[in-house]
Amino acid sequence: MTGSQLSARARVTTIDNLETANFDLLIIGGGITGAGIAREAALQGLEVAVIEAADFASGTSSRSSKLIHGGLRYLERGEIGLVRKTCLERKEIRKLAPHLADSRWMVIPFRRRAALMSLRVAVTTYEKLGAVERQDIHRGWSGKKLKEMEPALNPKRFRHALAYREYLTDDARLVLANIRSAAAHGAQVLNHARVFRVLTTAGSADAVLVRCQHSAREFRVKSKVIVNATGPWVEEVQRLEHSESRRFLHISKGIHIALPAAKLPVNNLLVLRAADKRRIFAIRRGPVCYLGTTDTTHTSGAQHWPEIGRRDVENLLEPLARYFDIDPVRPEDVVGAWAGLRPLIADPNTRNPSELSRRDELLVGPSGMLSVAGGKLTGYRGMARRVLASVAERLGKPLAKLRNEPPLPGGDFDGDLQNLSDTIAREYALSPNTARRLAQLYGTEAAQVLALGKTTLAPGSNAVTGEIAWAVRHEGAMTLEDVIYRRLRLPLYELNAERNLEPVARSMANALGWDAAKTCSQLAQVRSRMHKDLAFVTDETSLPRETPKFRGP
Ligand code: FAD
């Protein structure tokens, strides 16, 4: 894979290509939904274009809990079909990109053995639905074993735990892997370019107008079929086709906070119960443990940076004192935080976002634009196939069943992530932590990333210099925020992300030819962003457990 179509330098050529071709399929939105559809369509040999208003994965698809999971709680609600599909899907994603589906223990602590035993029944069903292999079957941990596996758990309160397998991903990198794979199979993809009008000919949507956010160039892209895959923005983009389109979304906000692992020394993925009985995950990733999520109705429309309320942060911290034998943790201890908006399908029968189904829905607009919303990161391939079946029908081109689907970029290894990171550490003389970080982010491509730069760390930072060149040349990164937040993910997974900013900005300035003023303004923007992430607001616009009035699909 050359990835050169995603190089910042190739941008003008990409825009020229977008302007001259007549595509089979144009996808608006470069989150996991758009990226998944693009890859599937490109593998099927369709002429595909993807237009993303900000950065790839800059919407909900970089703000999730980062779990590739079937969702045990959906099983409790009887959504067996959904659970089976997503459970089986976990294995498929792991086959395509083992570095982006790291198999980990999900641990549910219990006070009493009887409670553990009763959950075993549900977990056994869950494992059967997901065809879980023998070595990955759940197990019970008690006494000494539990102490060894999760030493920070309060042993007086929690004497037992049930551990079952789930997969940890990196959502933004999963999007990038799909986008890059689509580009490698011929798709024309462009980020930082907003669709601002949908054009029709004889009543059929057949083109869009796009504005490049960097050059301000406006251009038209023609396509036989247009898919609106804009997540929380889906209704906004529908209105570009038809100003009167009706509301069908219920937007729910979820936040996560990251703490230093030294403050919350969790080893696996833990399930805690919040005061309101909701499940909260405590997820260990490198030097941090992140906690999430919340589920509150969001009433101020789609946005890239929803605010993070202090009350939500306190709600996430509340269970810690009950579960762990640790010093008190306060909002001031939080080192990273992110908020995302779930584009859920509204239901007139419930006002509680946690009770809304995570199913996806495909709607056809009055001039034929297809809009897709809802769903989960985990189910993105199934969603892509369903959308594509509809696209094929419109094109009058039957789709072949894909045989031997190629791995995602970096996913061509046997799944042993530890072995991969040990090899990287040995061959490039890197610390085990740095090697592990690179293996998780890039899979087998870590070797190419390292070859691009010096194998040393950028002075004063824990980012490897090759990572920045890689992000700019192969992953469509255009701004410091693109690199810091969605390529390296430093504010989410690293301590002291701030100290990386200057070295990364210097490397980006070299790669993209920024002058001093541009470099300073990029730095100021990201500093301000990181500051806002941790400046929790006290009067939030989200309402707990309510939905706006449903006006029908
Ligand atoms: P998005 O990722 O939001 O993508 C839409 C894109 O459209 C955006 O990038 C936006 O910039 C772009 N766009 C908008 N307007 C325009 C325009 N006019 N022109 C061009 N582009 C435009 N799922 C799981 O499976 N596992 C989890 O652990 C999990 N945890 C979650 C936790 C939280 C807090 C949340 C909020 C969701 C979670 N999900 C999880 C669900 C999952 O993250 C979402 O279902 C998924 O990311 C939605 O992706 P999307 O591509 O539809 O939307």
Side-chain angles (χ1 to χ4, degrees):
M1 129 131 25
T2 62
S4 56
Q5 201 244 304
L6 275 150
S7 144
R9 295 217 171 115
R11 208 172 156 83
V12 174
T13 313
T14 302
I15 297 179
D16 289 344
N17 292 342
L18 285 165
E19 206 170 20
T20 45
N22 185 6
F23 292 93
D24 291 321
L25 171 62
L26 169 98
I27 299 156
I28 312 174
I32 192 64
T33 308
I37 300 168
R39 176 178 199 250
E40 186 82 18
L43 288 174
Q44 290 278 359
L46 299 190
E47 300 251 352
V48 185
V50 182
I51 306 287
E52 162 54 49
D55 186 19
F56 303 119
S58 56
T60 308
S61 301
S62 54
R63 322 298 173 88
S64 77
S65 303
K66 305 172 202 327
L67 293 172
I68 298 295
H69 63 159
L72 197 53
R73 83 184 176 97
Y74 308 125
L75 186 63
E76 288 163 5
R77 291 205 323 232
E79 295 194 58
I80 292 184
L82 175 79
V83 174
R84 182 175 12 184
K85 268 190 230 145
T86 45
C87 273
L88 289 171
E89 194 54 26
R90 298 182 304 178
K91 290 176 90 170
E92 294 303 314
I93 299 175
R94 185 162 162 79
K95 259 192 239 156
L96 296 175
H99 60 304
L100 295 172
D102 188 11
S103 175
R104 302 273 296 268
W105 289 119
M106 178 73 85
V107 182
I108 310 183
F110 290 103
R111 287 161 183 248
R112 283 180 299 278
R113 199 174 166 76
L116 181 154
M117 296 313 283
S118 75
L119 191 75
R120 270 202 140 134
V121 178
V123 172
T124 304
T125 309
Y126 187 70
E127 290 173 340
K128 281 198 177 131
L129 289 172
V132 169
E133 273 147 39
R134 212 184 160 80
Q135 73 274 12
D136 284 341
I137 293 291
H138 71 272
R139 47 208 68 182
W141 294 340
S142 295
K144 246 170 84 182
K145 178 71 181 174
L146 182 55
K147 183 93 197 138
E148 176 198 326
M149 299 305 279
E150 284 300 344
L153 260 184
N154 181 337
K156 292 199 190 94
R157 293 180 82 114
F158 297 98
R159 293 166 198 264
H160 310 281
L162 185 131
Y164 65 102
R165 284 290 191 190
E166 289 287 21
Y167 300 148
L168 187 62
T169 190
D170 179 276
D171 45 9
R173 298 212 65 91
L174 186 63
V175 173
L176 283 170
N178 276 279
I179 285 283
R180 290 182 57 227
S181 174
H185 289 90
Q188 295 293 317
V189 301
L190 189 71
N191 57 355
H192 296 287
R194 173 177 295 277
V195 169
F196 65 94
R197 195 171 302 162
V198 173
L199 305 173
T200 55
T201 304
S204 271
D206 62 356
V208 295
L209 292 184
V210 182
R211 184 177 301 114
C212 167
Q213 313 283 52
H214 281 266
S215 61
R217 178 172 160 188
E218 290 187 1
F219 54 98
R220 188 165 74 133
V221 186
K222 288 186 278 182
S223 180
K224 294 169 196 126
V225 181
I226 299 173
V227 168
N228 165 15
T230 53
W233 290 266
V234 78
E235 291 175 333
E236 204 173 282
V237 172
Q238 273 185 323
R239 286 196 287 274
L240 300 180
E241 183 199 21
H242 179 58
S243 58
E244 305 281 288
S245 70
R246 282 181 295 172
R247 289 179 64 187
F248 68 99
L249 272 195
H250 177 141
I251 298 185
S252 144
K253 180 163 77 174
I255 73 149
H256 289 83
I257 52 174
L259 293 162
K263 289 234 162 239
L264 182 56
V266 157
N267 292 333
N268 299 281
L269 322 178
L270 253 73
V271 184
L272 319 176
R273 285 277 180 187
D276 64 1
K277 302 273 184 265
R278 288 195 66 249
R279 287 198 174 101
I280 290 176
F281 299 119
I283 295 175
R284 177 66 183 270
R285 179 145 189 157
V288 303
C289 174
Y290 63 84
L291 288 168
T293 178
T294 54
D295 201 351
T296 51
T297 292
H298 175 81
T299 52
S300 40
Q303 53 197 131
H304 282 97
W305 297 100
E307 57 193 18
I308 298 175
R310 195 174 173 92
R311 192 180 57 204
D312 276 351
V313 172
E314 285 166 355
N315 286 344
L316 290 180
L317 294 176
E318 182 280 329
L320 300 188
R322 284 186 283 117
Y323 276 84
F324 299 102
D325 234 355
I326 52 173
D327 291 337
V329 183
R330 299 158 309 137
E332 292 67 33
D333 296 318
V334 172
V335 292
W338 63 95
L341 300 177
R342 298 177 186 87
L344 304 177
I345 310 297
D347 177 345
N349 300 317
T350 179
R351 296 170 63 79
N352 179 352
S354 300
E355 284 171 9
L356 288 172
S357 167
R358 268 48 179 170
R359 75 192 156 87
D360 53 274
E361 200 150 296
L362 184 63
L363 295 117
V364 187
S367 45
M369 182 170 80
L370 299 173
S371 291
V372 56
K376 305 242 333 144
L377 194 76
T378 309
Y380 80 94
R381 290 169 69 250
M383 222 159 137
R385 280 195 297 269
R386 284 189 290 284
V387 172
L388 222 56
S390 205
V391 171
E393 214 172 278
R394 279 161 186 276
L395 289 172
K397 274 192 192 173
L399 296 181
K401 191 168 166 36
L402 279 181
R403 282 173 210 276
N404 302 328
E405 187 174 345
L408 284 162
D412 50 344
F413 68 106
D414 64 2
D416 189 340
L417 201 58
Q418 192 54 50
N419 185 35
L420 180 66
S421 54
D422 290 347
T423 310
I424 294 169
R426 210 173 35 248
E427 286 183 9
Y428 294 90
L430 291 171
S431 74
N433 287 346
T434 303
R436 175 89 190 173
R437 188 176 76 77
L438 294 172
Q440 274 186 301
L441 294 181
Y442 304 97
T444 53
E445 288 189 327
Q448 292 172 61
V449 172
L450 287 160
L452 252 192
K454 296 187 194 84
T455 55
T456 51
L457 299 179
S461 87
N462 51 7
V464 174
T465 50
E467 290 185 85
I468 295 124
W470 181 262
V472 168
R473 288 191 209 171
H474 298 277
E475 297 181 335
M478 296 289 294
T479 69
L480 185 59
E481 183 199 297
D482 295 350
V483 169
I484 292 282
Y485 273 90
R486 288 169 296 275
R487 307 300 184 283
L488 308 187
R489 317 230 67 188
L490 300 175
L492 287 77
Y493 305 147
E494 299 295 322
L495 303 174
N496 309 317
E498 178 95 33
R499 75 164 193 210
N500 292 278
L501 293 187
E502 284 197 22
V504 174
R506 272 198 302 274
S507 295
M508 280 205 78
N510 278 341
L512 289 170
W514 292 346
D515 61 16
K518 170 108 183 179
T519 311
C520 279
S521 87
Q522 290 279 316
L523 268 168
Q525 241 171 301
V526 174
R527 279 205 179 101
S528 147
R529 185 64 265 149
M530 283 168 59
H531 174 76
K532 282 188 193 145
D533 287 349
L534 300 180
F536 309 131
V537 298
T538 42
D539 59 338
E540 294 165 64
T541 49
S542 290
L543 308 173
R545 312 236 171 278
E546 278 177 31
T547 79
K549 199 163 168 40
F550 181 74
R551 287 201 250 135

